[in-house]
Amino acid sequence: MGRARTIARRSFLIGSAAILGGVAFGAYFVSRPIANPLLDGLAQGEAALTPFVKITPQGITLIVPRADVGQGIASTQAMLIAEELDIDPATATLDPGQPHQAYFNGVIVGESMPFPAWEHGAVANTMRDVMRNVARLTGSQFTGGSSSVADLHETLRLAGATARETLKAAASARTGVQRADLRTDDGQVVLPDGTRIPYTALAGEAAAIAPVTDVTLRPASDWTRLGKPYQRLDIVAKSTGTQDYGIDVVLPGMLHATVRANPGRGGAMAGYNADAALAMQGVRAVVAVNEGLAVIADNTWFAFQAAQALEVDWLPPDHPASSAEMWQALSAARTDAFRNSRLREDGDVEAALAGATVIEAEYRTPFLAHAALEPLSATVLVEADSVQIWTATQIPAVVRDAAVALTGLDPSQVTLHALPAGGSFGRRLDHDYVVQAIQIAATMPGTPIKTTWSREEDMTHDYPRPLHMAVGRGAVGNRRVLAYDLDSVSPSLILSWFGRISSVPPGPDTMLVWGAFDQPYAIPNYRVTGYAAPQMIPVGSWRSPGACSNTFFHESFLSELIHAAGADPLEERLRLIADPDSRRVLEAVGEMANWAGADIGPGRGRGVAFAHTHGVPVAEVLDVTLTERGIRIDEVWIAADCGTVFDPANAEAQLTGAAIFGLGHAMNCELTYENHAVQQTNFDAFEGMRLNQTPRFHTQLLGRAERVRGLGEPATAPAAPALADAIFAATGRRLREMPFSKFISFA
């Protein structure tokens, strides 16, 4: 009955998706080929063999459309193509390409359905396929959700193989040697007699024939680069300070700008006086933009100083003015009037709780800033018949469409130079900073203008991770967890984010309960309910959205129930886990950490947490020591299974980096509000984990899961509950609210 009710509640979203993906568009539109955007403007002797491979007499260009925001995905995309194309990716030019339907992200849209990622029944898989078709038809081009490798790994390998076989066909036509008798090596077609023809010499002939699509991907046993340690293509540049980011753009005759907006995000402006700013050195103009004013000057420093000299009469926004008021609004939203979903309802929770001593706990996670090291920036040149934009973004098509809307030009007249980002963590899934840059540049056609936000502006006008709370109720007996009921309450991220960049999809906001409803535990009586609190501060996607908070709630409360039952934290999780991949991950982390045989000793504690997020089961064990200066994190063990690992060195870096991110924010970080304004406006008040606090990491990737997944986010979510569990083991104190530094010191 619980399962039937759960599926029924999904029916509205599923029905809408089916209409959108099947009936409204029709089978022809779903199946027709997508045009190759690289064919436009090809010169004589150049070949665009797929949307991802362009070959000219001068060299090879690989299109890597997923944004590199520090996770190394540009390098991995290039390696996937290069493995099948038989080239050294370091010899190719990497280009993110222009926004286009060919670069849609089907996985991120398909996985938005309200099914656990580990559920692969007919209904779940059918609806994911429907939504992938929606993404294909609408050209939904996003980088996020740890989806890049999951979405593109086969597409890019096929692109490389298609290009390889087409070049062999061109060589066959030139030499008369059968394609089957040709091989390739290091960017050359090799004839049986050893003669080598460079790909670049075959470009014109390859362009004149139809691409060869009857290709076979090479088995892993034949890989020369994939699956082996390989230096990321950007490591040298990033290690030597020569990597160009969006903020590094320099153009002839360029001016600089910055923005000053209402400190209460969403508030309007009653009036302003710019006389003092306009009289300052190097200032060219003050113009109105979305949410405030911009100063245009000869350099960034002049613009920053003049922005502070503006006298502005700000109006308050229409939402609570303080964090205290927002928490009150959140608590009040845990009622049927705000109920958004109940995507997990197994057994009979009410009956199980009625006959037992109920264990109850409340948890909270605060607003968090993205606070990427590179401040937000965009350089824009607006001319009568064109717009050029230089920036880092995860939503290139949305940026292009914004330029079209603001200038009235055709999409073909917009050129986006998508650049590497010095961090993002989800912030560049919004484009407010680019919209402002276009508005500013439009006031001075013909002059390129770089708009740069100050760190204070970046922190104050972030779209932060939502504040979030949960209440857990449960019951135990016979050293087992018998009933588990979790209410998760937060403003809707989907409503806020989609409302800014697109249109809000129908159905429940799964992000309200991601990391809770979708966990593969077979608890007999198991319920997860999501409540959408009223919209307050506009919020955005933050690393592992939804799961970064819900996993803390879910795993922390499970640990409390297991402790109350008198069971072993790892053994009881293993007993409850119903997914084979997840079980293997938990077993692996237990073996890595010697869970059963470790002698922790006095003043020390060990914690464990598990999460199935972004399709990846991840388990973490963490050891801490209580010192005179506070809690010291000593060791962290991480086991995960993302299926085939294409880039093992980078995969390990993603696991450890994500865990450090989760631990640092759990320890120290929060955004609070007073009089509508953020109180933490720079890194001195928003301090993550310091180098001397960083523990020793041990990682293991099992590589046994059937489906390939990404690793940019999954290890973030279990870090906080594992740390809280270890602190409890060392001190006897349960920490149910972040940041933990509000209640305990860290060494």
Side-chain angles (χ1 to χ4, degrees), residues 8 28 33 116-117 130 136 154 171 228 239 258 310 386 391 413 432 485 497 516 521 531 622 741:
Y28 167 72
V130 167
R136 184 179 188 273
E154 186 172 301
K228 299 172 174 60
S239 300
T258 196
L310 292 169
S386 68
T391 194
Q413 296 173 296
D432 48 333
D485 185 27
W497 180 62
Y521 290 115
Y531 297 86
L622 192 148
S741 58

mmCIF file with all atom_site columns, all heavy atoms in Angstrom, residues 8 28 33 116-117 130 136 154 171 228 239 258 310 386 391 413 432 485 497 516 521 531 622 741:
data_model
loop_
_atom_site.group_PDB
_atom_site.id
_atom_site.type_symbol
_atom_site.label_atom_id
_atom_site.label_alt_id
_atom_site.label_comp_id
_atom_site.label_asym_id
_atom_site.label_entity_id
_atom_site.label_seq_id
_atom_site.pdbx_PDB_ins_code
_atom_site.Cartn_x
_atom_site.Cartn_y
_atom_site.Cartn_z
_atom_site.occupancy
_atom_site.B_iso_or_equiv
_atom_site.pdbx_formal_charge
_atom_site.auth_seq_id
_atom_site.auth_comp_id
_atom_site.auth_asym_id
_atom_site.auth_atom_id
_atom_site.pdbx_PDB_model_num
ATOM 1   N N   . ALA A 1 8   ? 1.380  6.851  -6.801  1.00 0.00 ? 8   ALA A N   1
ATOM 2   C CA  . ALA A 1 8   ? 0.253  7.711  -7.143  1.00 0.00 ? 8   ALA A CA  1
ATOM 3   C C   . ALA A 1 8   ? 0.601  9.172  -6.985  1.00 0.00 ? 8   ALA A C   1
ATOM 4   O O   . ALA A 1 8   ? 0.203  10.010 -7.794  1.00 0.00 ? 8   ALA A O   1
ATOM 5   C CB  . ALA A 1 8   ? -0.947 7.352  -6.265  1.00 0.00 ? 8   ALA A CB  1
ATOM 6   N N   . TYR A 1 28  ? 8.634  11.791 -34.494 1.00 0.00 ? 28  TYR A N   1
ATOM 7   C CA  . TYR A 1 28  ? 9.576  12.293 -35.503 1.00 0.00 ? 28  TYR A CA  1
ATOM 8   C C   . TYR A 1 28  ? 10.545 13.288 -34.896 1.00 0.00 ? 28  TYR A C   1
ATOM 9   O O   . TYR A 1 28  ? 11.759 13.231 -35.125 1.00 0.00 ? 28  TYR A O   1
ATOM 10  C CB  . TYR A 1 28  ? 8.814  12.946 -36.656 1.00 0.00 ? 28  TYR A CB  1
ATOM 11  C CG  . TYR A 1 28  ? 9.721  13.746 -37.568 1.00 0.00 ? 28  TYR A CG  1
ATOM 12  C CD1 . TYR A 1 28  ? 10.608 13.111 -38.433 1.00 0.00 ? 28  TYR A CD1 1
ATOM 13  C CD2 . TYR A 1 28  ? 9.717  15.137 -37.531 1.00 0.00 ? 28  TYR A CD2 1
ATOM 14  C CE1 . TYR A 1 28  ? 11.455 13.842 -39.253 1.00 0.00 ? 28  TYR A CE1 1
ATOM 15  C CE2 . TYR A 1 28  ? 10.566 15.873 -38.344 1.00 0.00 ? 28  TYR A CE2 1
ATOM 16  C CZ  . TYR A 1 28  ? 11.431 15.217 -39.207 1.00 0.00 ? 28  TYR A CZ  1
ATOM 17  O OH  . TYR A 1 28  ? 12.269 15.946 -40.002 1.00 0.00 ? 28  TYR A OH  1
ATOM 18  N N   . PRO A 1 33  ? 17.713 13.563 -36.500 1.00 0.00 ? 33  PRO A N   1
ATOM 19  C CA  . PRO A 1 33  ? 19.098 13.891 -36.136 1.00 0.00 ? 33  PRO A CA  1
ATOM 20  C C   . PRO A 1 33  ? 19.244 15.358 -35.736 1.00 0.00 ? 33  PRO A C   1
ATOM 21  O O   . PRO A 1 33  ? 18.525 16.234 -36.226 1.00 0.00 ? 33  PRO A O   1
ATOM 22  C CB  . PRO A 1 33  ? 19.874 13.593 -37.424 1.00 0.00 ? 33  PRO A CB  1
ATOM 23  C CG  . PRO A 1 33  ? 18.994 12.697 -38.226 1.00 0.00 ? 33  PRO A CG  1
ATOM 24  C CD  . PRO A 1 33  ? 17.591 13.093 -37.878 1.00 0.00 ? 33  PRO A CD  1
ATOM 25  N N   . PRO A 1 116 ? 14.438 7.100  -6.693  1.00 0.00 ? 116 PRO A N   1
ATOM 26  C CA  . PRO A 1 116 ? 15.826 6.930  -6.244  1.00 0.00 ? 116 PRO A CA  1
ATOM 27  C C   . PRO A 1 116 ? 16.719 6.521  -7.405  1.00 0.00 ? 116 PRO A C   1
ATOM 28  O O   . PRO A 1 116 ? 16.299 5.772  -8.296  1.00 0.00 ? 116 PRO A O   1
ATOM 29  C CB  . PRO A 1 116 ? 15.716 5.806  -5.202  1.00 0.00 ? 116 PRO A CB  1
ATOM 30  C CG  . PRO A 1 116 ? 14.287 5.814  -4.765  1.00 0.00 ? 116 PRO A CG  1
ATOM 31  C CD  . PRO A 1 116 ? 13.495 6.227  -5.964  1.00 0.00 ? 116 PRO A CD  1
ATOM 32  N N   . ALA A 1 117 ? 17.951 6.985  -7.399  1.00 0.00 ? 117 ALA A N   1
ATOM 33  C CA  . ALA A 1 117 ? 18.870 6.674  -8.494  1.00 0.00 ? 117 ALA A CA  1
ATOM 34  C C   . ALA A 1 117 ? 19.155 5.179  -8.587  1.00 0.00 ? 117 ALA A C   1
ATOM 35  O O   . ALA A 1 117 ? 19.489 4.678  -9.667  1.00 0.00 ? 117 ALA A O   1
ATOM 36  C CB  . ALA A 1 117 ? 20.172 7.447  -8.311  1.00 0.00 ? 117 ALA A CB  1
ATOM 37  N N   . VAL A 1 130 ? 12.069 9.369  -21.066 1.00 0.00 ? 130 VAL A N   1
ATOM 38  C CA  . VAL A 1 130 ? 11.176 10.437 -21.530 1.00 0.00 ? 130 VAL A CA  1
ATOM 39  C C   . VAL A 1 130 ? 11.806 11.800 -21.274 1.00 0.00 ? 130 VAL A C   1
ATOM 40  O O   . VAL A 1 130 ? 11.843 12.673 -22.157 1.00 0.00 ? 130 VAL A O   1
ATOM 41  C CB  . VAL A 1 130 ? 9.797  10.334 -20.840 1.00 0.00 ? 130 VAL A CB  1
ATOM 42  C CG1 . VAL A 1 130 ? 8.977  11.603 -21.061 1.00 0.00 ? 130 VAL A CG1 1
ATOM 43  C CG2 . VAL A 1 130 ? 9.027  9.130  -21.358 1.00 0.00 ? 130 VAL A CG2 1
ATOM 44  N N   . ARG A 1 136 ? 16.756 16.637 -24.902 1.00 0.00 ? 136 ARG A N   1
ATOM 45  C CA  . ARG A 1 136 ? 17.265 16.652 -26.278 1.00 0.00 ? 136 ARG A CA  1
ATOM 46  C C   . ARG A 1 136 ? 16.495 17.647 -27.128 1.00 0.00 ? 136 ARG A C   1
ATOM 47  O O   . ARG A 1 136 ? 17.084 18.420 -27.896 1.00 0.00 ? 136 ARG A O   1
ATOM 48  C CB  . ARG A 1 136 ? 17.152 15.245 -26.855 1.00 0.00 ? 136 ARG A CB  1
ATOM 49  C CG  . ARG A 1 136 ? 17.724 15.063 -28.258 1.00 0.00 ? 136 ARG A CG  1
ATOM 50  C CD  . ARG A 1 136 ? 17.565 13.602 -28.672 1.00 0.00 ? 136 ARG A CD  1
ATOM 51  N NE  . ARG A 1 136 ? 18.260 13.322 -29.919 1.00 0.00 ? 136 ARG A NE  1
ATOM 52  C CZ  . ARG A 1 136 ? 17.733 13.491 -31.112 1.00 0.00 ? 136 ARG A CZ  1
ATOM 53  N NH1 . ARG A 1 136 ? 16.495 13.952 -31.222 1.00 0.00 ? 136 ARG A NH1 1
ATOM 54  N NH2 . ARG A 1 136 ? 18.423 13.209 -32.206 1.00 0.00 ? 136 ARG A NH2 1
ATOM 55  N N   . GLU A 1 154 ? 29.794 8.029  -23.278 1.00 0.00 ? 154 GLU A N   1
ATOM 56  C CA  . GLU A 1 154 ? 29.603 7.234  -24.489 1.00 0.00 ? 154 GLU A CA  1
ATOM 57  C C   . GLU A 1 154 ? 29.531 8.124  -25.723 1.00 0.00 ? 154 GLU A C   1
ATOM 58  O O   . GLU A 1 154 ? 30.095 7.798  -26.775 1.00 0.00 ? 154 GLU A O   1
ATOM 59  C CB  . GLU A 1 154 ? 28.340 6.382  -24.368 1.00 0.00 ? 154 GLU A CB  1
ATOM 60  C CG  . GLU A 1 154 ? 28.146 5.427  -25.534 1.00 0.00 ? 154 GLU A CG  1
ATOM 61  C CD  . GLU A 1 154 ? 27.008 4.456  -25.302 1.00 0.00 ? 154 GLU A CD  1
ATOM 62  O OE1 . GLU A 1 154 ? 27.058 3.708  -24.310 1.00 0.00 ? 154 GLU A OE1 1
ATOM 63  O OE2 . GLU A 1 154 ? 26.063 4.454  -26.118 1.00 0.00 ? 154 GLU A OE2 1
ATOM 64  N N   . ALA A 1 171 ? 41.325 8.036  -46.081 1.00 0.00 ? 171 ALA A N   1
ATOM 65  C CA  . ALA A 1 171 ? 42.615 7.477  -46.488 1.00 0.00 ? 171 ALA A CA  1
ATOM 66  C C   . ALA A 1 171 ? 42.426 6.305  -47.438 1.00 0.00 ? 171 ALA A C   1
ATOM 67  O O   . ALA A 1 171 ? 43.217 6.110  -48.384 1.00 0.00 ? 171 ALA A O   1
ATOM 68  C CB  . ALA A 1 171 ? 43.394 7.041  -45.249 1.00 0.00 ? 171 ALA A CB  1
ATOM 69  N N   . LYS A 1 228 ? 43.736 4.968  -16.606 1.00 0.00 ? 228 LYS A N   1
ATOM 70  C CA  . LYS A 1 228 ? 45.107 4.990  -16.094 1.00 0.00 ? 228 LYS A CA  1
ATOM 71  C C   . LYS A 1 228 ? 45.434 6.381  -15.563 1.00 0.00 ? 228 LYS A C   1
ATOM 72  O O   . LYS A 1 228 ? 44.854 7.369  -16.015 1.00 0.00 ? 228 LYS A O   1
ATOM 73  C CB  . LYS A 1 228 ? 46.083 4.610  -17.209 1.00 0.00 ? 228 LYS A CB  1
ATOM 74  C CG  . LYS A 1 228 ? 45.846 3.201  -17.777 1.00 0.00 ? 228 LYS A CG  1
ATOM 75  C CD  . LYS A 1 228 ? 46.699 2.939  -18.989 1.00 0.00 ? 228 LYS A CD  1
ATOM 76  C CE  . LYS A 1 228 ? 46.551 1.495  -19.453 1.00 0.00 ? 228 LYS A CE  1
ATOM 77  N NZ  . LYS A 1 228 ? 45.173 1.143  -19.808 1.00 0.00 ? 228 LYS A NZ  1
ATOM 78  N N   . SER A 1 239 ? 49.131 25.344 -12.049 1.00 0.00 ? 239 SER A N   1
ATOM 79  C CA  . SER A 1 239 ? 50.220 25.299 -11.077 1.00 0.00 ? 239 SER A CA  1
ATOM 80  C C   . SER A 1 239 ? 51.218 26.435 -11.256 1.00 0.00 ? 239 SER A C   1
ATOM 81  O O   . SER A 1 239 ? 51.980 26.749 -10.340 1.00 0.00 ? 239 SER A O   1
ATOM 82  C CB  . SER A 1 239 ? 50.953 23.957 -11.182 1.00 0.00 ? 239 SER A CB  1
ATOM 83  O OG  . SER A 1 239 ? 50.082 22.887 -10.927 1.00 0.00 ? 239 SER A OG  1
ATOM 84  N N   . THR A 1 258 ? 31.838 47.888 -12.001 1.00 0.00 ? 258 THR A N   1
ATOM 85  C CA  . THR A 1 258 ? 31.396 47.071 -10.882 1.00 0.00 ? 258 THR A CA  1
ATOM 86  C C   . THR A 1 258 ? 29.977 47.473 -10.544 1.00 0.00 ? 258 THR A C   1
ATOM 87  O O   . THR A 1 258 ? 29.449 48.467 -11.059 1.00 0.00 ? 258 THR A O   1
ATOM 88  C CB  . THR A 1 258 ? 32.317 47.214 -9.664  1.00 0.00 ? 258 THR A CB  1
ATOM 89  O OG1 . THR A 1 258 ? 32.054 46.132 -8.750  1.00 0.00 ? 258 THR A OG1 1
ATOM 90  C CG2 . THR A 1 258 ? 32.085 48.535 -8.922  1.00 0.00 ? 258 THR A CG2 1
ATOM 91  N N   . LEU A 1 310 ? 28.599 56.072 -3.849  1.00 0.00 ? 310 LEU A N   1
ATOM 92  C CA  . LEU A 1 310 ? 27.210 56.304 -4.275  1.00 0.00 ? 310 LEU A CA  1
ATOM 93  C C   . LEU A 1 310 ? 26.302 56.454 -3.053  1.00 0.00 ? 310 LEU A C   1
ATOM 94  O O   . LEU A 1 310 ? 26.413 55.694 -2.085  1.00 0.00 ? 310 LEU A O   1
ATOM 95  C CB  . LEU A 1 310 ? 26.719 55.133 -5.125  1.00 0.00 ? 310 LEU A CB  1
ATOM 96  C CG  . LEU A 1 310 ? 27.379 54.957 -6.496  1.00 0.00 ? 310 LEU A CG  1
ATOM 97  C CD1 . LEU A 1 310 ? 26.989 53.601 -7.092  1.00 0.00 ? 310 LEU A CD1 1
ATOM 98  C CD2 . LEU A 1 310 ? 26.975 56.089 -7.438  1.00 0.00 ? 310 LEU A CD2 1
ATOM 99  N N   . SER A 1 386 ? 26.109 42.667 -33.277 1.00 0.00 ? 386 SER A N   1
ATOM 100 C CA  . SER A 1 386 ? 26.685 41.506 -32.589 1.00 0.00 ? 386 SER A CA  1
ATOM 101 C C   . SER A 1 386 ? 26.875 41.792 -31.115 1.00 0.00 ? 386 SER A C   1
ATOM 102 O O   . SER A 1 386 ? 26.950 42.950 -30.685 1.00 0.00 ? 386 SER A O   1
ATOM 103 C CB  . SER A 1 386 ? 28.029 41.117 -33.213 1.00 0.00 ? 386 SER A CB  1
ATOM 104 O OG  . SER A 1 386 ? 28.995 42.120 -32.958 1.00 0.00 ? 386 SER A OG  1
ATOM 105 N N   . THR A 1 391 ? 33.026 34.953 -20.346 1.00 0.00 ? 391 THR A N   1
ATOM 106 C CA  . THR A 1 391 ? 32.710 34.685 -18.942 1.00 0.00 ? 391 THR A CA  1
ATOM 107 C C   . THR A 1 391 ? 32.771 33.190 -18.681 1.00 0.00 ? 391 THR A C   1
ATOM 108 O O   . THR A 1 391 ? 32.851 32.384 -19.609 1.00 0.00 ? 391 THR A O   1
ATOM 109 C CB  . THR A 1 391 ? 31.312 35.222 -18.577 1.00 0.00 ? 391 THR A CB  1
ATOM 110 O OG1 . THR A 1 391 ? 31.160 35.236 -17.156 1.00 0.00 ? 391 THR A OG1 1
ATOM 111 C CG2 . THR A 1 391 ? 30.204 34.367 -19.180 1.00 0.00 ? 391 THR A CG2 1
ATOM 112 N N   . GLN A 1 413 ? 23.853 36.044 -33.740 1.00 0.00 ? 413 GLN A N   1
ATOM 113 C CA  . GLN A 1 413 ? 24.693 37.232 -33.610 1.00 0.00 ? 413 GLN A CA  1
ATOM 114 C C   . GLN A 1 413 ? 25.355 37.327 -32.233 1.00 0.00 ? 413 GLN A C   1
ATOM 115 O O   . GLN A 1 413 ? 26.059 38.288 -31.950 1.00 0.00 ? 413 GLN A O   1
ATOM 116 C CB  . GLN A 1 413 ? 23.860 38.487 -33.875 1.00 0.00 ? 413 GLN A CB  1
ATOM 117 C CG  . GLN A 1 413 ? 23.329 38.571 -35.300 1.00 0.00 ? 413 GLN A CG  1
ATOM 118 C CD  . GLN A 1 413 ? 22.368 39.736 -35.482 1.00 0.00 ? 413 GLN A CD  1
ATOM 119 O OE1 . GLN A 1 413 ? 21.289 39.786 -34.877 1.00 0.00 ? 413 GLN A OE1 1
ATOM 120 N NE2 . GLN A 1 413 ? 22.758 40.684 -36.314 1.00 0.00 ? 413 GLN A NE2 1
ATOM 121 N N   . ASP A 1 432 ? 22.970 36.229 -13.233 1.00 0.00 ? 432 ASP A N   1
ATOM 122 C CA  . ASP A 1 432 ? 22.657 37.621 -12.914 1.00 0.00 ? 432 ASP A CA  1
ATOM 123 C C   . ASP A 1 432 ? 23.832 38.546 -13.198 1.00 0.00 ? 432 ASP A C   1
ATOM 124 O O   . ASP A 1 432 ? 23.659 39.679 -13.677 1.00 0.00 ? 432 ASP A O   1
ATOM 125 C CB  . ASP A 1 432 ? 22.214 37.752 -11.456 1.00 0.00 ? 432 ASP A CB  1
ATOM 126 C CG  . ASP A 1 432 ? 23.135 37.030 -10.481 1.00 0.00 ? 432 ASP A CG  1
ATOM 127 O OD1 . ASP A 1 432 ? 23.779 36.043 -10.874 1.00 0.00 ? 432 ASP A OD1 1
ATOM 128 O OD2 . ASP A 1 432 ? 23.209 37.445 -9.312  1.00 0.00 ? 432 ASP A OD2 1
ATOM 129 N N   . ASP A 1 485 ? 10.841 8.204  10.642  1.00 0.00 ? 485 ASP A N   1
ATOM 130 C CA  . ASP A 1 485 ? 9.951  9.215  10.061  1.00 0.00 ? 485 ASP A CA  1
ATOM 131 C C   . ASP A 1 485 ? 10.695 10.545 10.045  1.00 0.00 ? 485 ASP A C   1
ATOM 132 O O   . ASP A 1 485 ? 11.110 11.037 11.089  1.00 0.00 ? 485 ASP A O   1
ATOM 133 C CB  . ASP A 1 485 ? 8.677  9.326  10.902  1.00 0.00 ? 485 ASP A CB  1
ATOM 134 C CG  . ASP A 1 485 ? 7.648  10.275 10.298  1.00 0.00 ? 485 ASP A CG  1
ATOM 135 O OD1 . ASP A 1 485 ? 7.659  10.448 9.061   1.00 0.00 ? 485 ASP A OD1 1
ATOM 136 O OD2 . ASP A 1 485 ? 6.838  10.823 11.064  1.00 0.00 ? 485 ASP A OD2 1
ATOM 137 N N   . TRP A 1 497 ? 15.138 28.811 -8.278  1.00 0.00 ? 497 TRP A N   1
ATOM 138 C CA  . TRP A 1 497 ? 16.127 28.806 -9.356  1.00 0.00 ? 497 TRP A CA  1
ATOM 139 C C   . TRP A 1 497 ? 15.469 28.780 -10.732 1.00 0.00 ? 497 TRP A C   1
ATOM 140 O O   . TRP A 1 497 ? 15.760 29.603 -11.592 1.00 0.00 ? 497 TRP A O   1
ATOM 141 C CB  . TRP A 1 497 ? 17.071 27.613 -9.186  1.00 0.00 ? 497 TRP A CB  1
ATOM 142 C CG  . TRP A 1 497 ? 18.120 27.530 -10.247 1.00 0.00 ? 497 TRP A CG  1
ATOM 143 C CD1 . TRP A 1 497 ? 19.096 28.440 -10.522 1.00 0.00 ? 497 TRP A CD1 1
ATOM 144 C CD2 . TRP A 1 497 ? 18.295 26.466 -11.186 1.00 0.00 ? 497 TRP A CD2 1
ATOM 145 N NE1 . TRP A 1 497 ? 19.879 28.013 -11.569 1.00 0.00 ? 497 TRP A NE1 1
ATOM 146 C CE2 . TRP A 1 497 ? 19.411 26.804 -11.996 1.00 0.00 ? 497 TRP A CE2 1
ATOM 147 C CE3 . TRP A 1 497 ? 17.629 25.260 -11.414 1.00 0.00 ? 497 TRP A CE3 1
ATOM 148 C CZ2 . TRP A 1 497 ? 19.855 25.969 -13.025 1.00 0.00 ? 497 TRP A CZ2 1
ATOM 149 C CZ3 . TRP A 1 497 ? 18.097 24.439 -12.428 1.00 0.00 ? 497 TRP A CZ3 1
ATOM 150 C CH2 . TRP A 1 497 ? 19.182 24.799 -13.216 1.00 0.00 ? 497 TRP A CH2 1
ATOM 151 N N   . ALA A 1 516 ? 17.389 11.947 1.355   1.00 0.00 ? 516 ALA A N   1
ATOM 152 C CA  . ALA A 1 516 ? 16.590 11.377 2.441   1.00 0.00 ? 516 ALA A CA  1
ATOM 153 C C   . ALA A 1 516 ? 15.617 10.329 1.899   1.00 0.00 ? 516 ALA A C   1
ATOM 154 O O   . ALA A 1 516 ? 15.715 9.144  2.229   1.00 0.00 ? 516 ALA A O   1
ATOM 155 C CB  . ALA A 1 516 ? 15.843 12.475 3.190   1.00 0.00 ? 516 ALA A CB  1
ATOM 156 N N   . TYR A 1 521 ? 17.737 2.068  2.220   1.00 0.00 ? 521 TYR A N   1
ATOM 157 C CA  . TYR A 1 521 ? 17.562 1.333  3.475   1.00 0.00 ? 521 TYR A CA  1
ATOM 158 C C   . TYR A 1 521 ? 16.195 0.642  3.483   1.00 0.00 ? 521 TYR A C   1
ATOM 159 O O   . TYR A 1 521 ? 15.181 1.244  3.106   1.00 0.00 ? 521 TYR A O   1
ATOM 160 C CB  . TYR A 1 521 ? 17.645 2.281  4.668   1.00 0.00 ? 521 TYR A CB  1
ATOM 161 C CG  . TYR A 1 521 ? 19.019 2.851  4.931   1.00 0.00 ? 521 TYR A CG  1
ATOM 162 C CD1 . TYR A 1 521 ? 19.261 4.219  4.806   1.00 0.00 ? 521 TYR A CD1 1
ATOM 163 C CD2 . TYR A 1 521 ? 20.073 2.038  5.321   1.00 0.00 ? 521 TYR A CD2 1
ATOM 164 C CE1 . TYR A 1 521 ? 20.516 4.760  5.060   1.00 0.00 ? 521 TYR A CE1 1
ATOM 165 C CE2 . TYR A 1 521 ? 21.332 2.561  5.587   1.00 0.00 ? 521 TYR A CE2 1
ATOM 166 C CZ  . TYR A 1 521 ? 21.544 3.923  5.450   1.00 0.00 ? 521 TYR A CZ  1
ATOM 167 O OH  . TYR A 1 521 ? 22.789 4.449  5.709   1.00 0.00 ? 521 TYR A OH  1
ATOM 168 N N   . TYR A 1 531 ? 8.413  19.507 2.963   1.00 0.00 ? 531 TYR A N   1
ATOM 169 C CA  . TYR A 1 531 ? 7.576  20.694 3.131   1.00 0.00 ? 531 TYR A CA  1
ATOM 170 C C   . TYR A 1 531 ? 8.263  21.887 2.475   1.00 0.00 ? 531 TYR A C   1
ATOM 171 O O   . TYR A 1 531 ? 9.431  22.173 2.764   1.00 0.00 ? 531 TYR A O   1
ATOM 172 C CB  . TYR A 1 531 ? 7.339  20.991 4.613   1.00 0.00 ? 531 TYR A CB  1
ATOM 173 C CG  . TYR A 1 531 ? 6.578  19.906 5.336   1.00 0.00 ? 531 TYR A CG  1
ATOM 174 C CD1 . TYR A 1 531 ? 7.246  18.806 5.891   1.00 0.00 ? 531 TYR A CD1 1
ATOM 175 C CD2 . TYR A 1 531 ? 5.195  19.957 5.453   1.00 0.00 ? 531 TYR A CD2 1
ATOM 176 C CE1 . TYR A 1 531 ? 6.560  17.797 6.542   1.00 0.00 ? 531 TYR A CE1 1
ATOM 177 C CE2 . TYR A 1 531 ? 4.492  18.951 6.109   1.00 0.00 ? 531 TYR A CE2 1
ATOM 178 C CZ  . TYR A 1 531 ? 5.183  17.880 6.647   1.00 0.00 ? 531 TYR A CZ  1
ATOM 179 O OH  . TYR A 1 531 ? 4.486  16.879 7.288   1.00 0.00 ? 531 TYR A OH  1
ATOM 180 N N   . LEU A 1 622 ? 35.305 8.299  9.788   1.00 0.00 ? 622 LEU A N   1
ATOM 181 C CA  . LEU A 1 622 ? 36.113 9.446  10.201  1.00 0.00 ? 622 LEU A CA  1
ATOM 182 C C   . LEU A 1 622 ? 36.538 9.277  11.658  1.00 0.00 ? 622 LEU A C   1
ATOM 183 O O   . LEU A 1 622 ? 35.717 8.921  12.514  1.00 0.00 ? 622 LEU A O   1
ATOM 184 C CB  . LEU A 1 622 ? 35.268 10.711 10.013  1.00 0.00 ? 622 LEU A CB  1
ATOM 185 C CG  . LEU A 1 622 ? 35.912 12.075 10.106  1.00 0.00 ? 622 LEU A CG  1
ATOM 186 C CD1 . LEU A 1 622 ? 35.188 13.038 9.162   1.00 0.00 ? 622 LEU A CD1 1
ATOM 187 C CD2 . LEU A 1 622 ? 35.814 12.605 11.526  1.00 0.00 ? 622 LEU A CD2 1
ATOM 188 N N   . SER A 1 741 ? 31.040 24.703 14.962  1.00 0.00 ? 741 SER A N   1
ATOM 189 C CA  . SER A 1 741 ? 31.883 25.596 15.769  1.00 0.00 ? 741 SER A CA  1
ATOM 190 C C   . SER A 1 741 ? 31.060 26.491 16.686  1.00 0.00 ? 741 SER A C   1
ATOM 191 O O   . SER A 1 741 ? 31.620 27.119 17.587  1.00 0.00 ? 741 SER A O   1
ATOM 192 C CB  . SER A 1 741 ? 32.761 26.451 14.856  1.00 0.00 ? 741 SER A CB  1
ATOM 193 O OG  . SER A 1 741 ? 31.974 27.207 13.947  1.00 0.00 ? 741 SER A OG  1
#
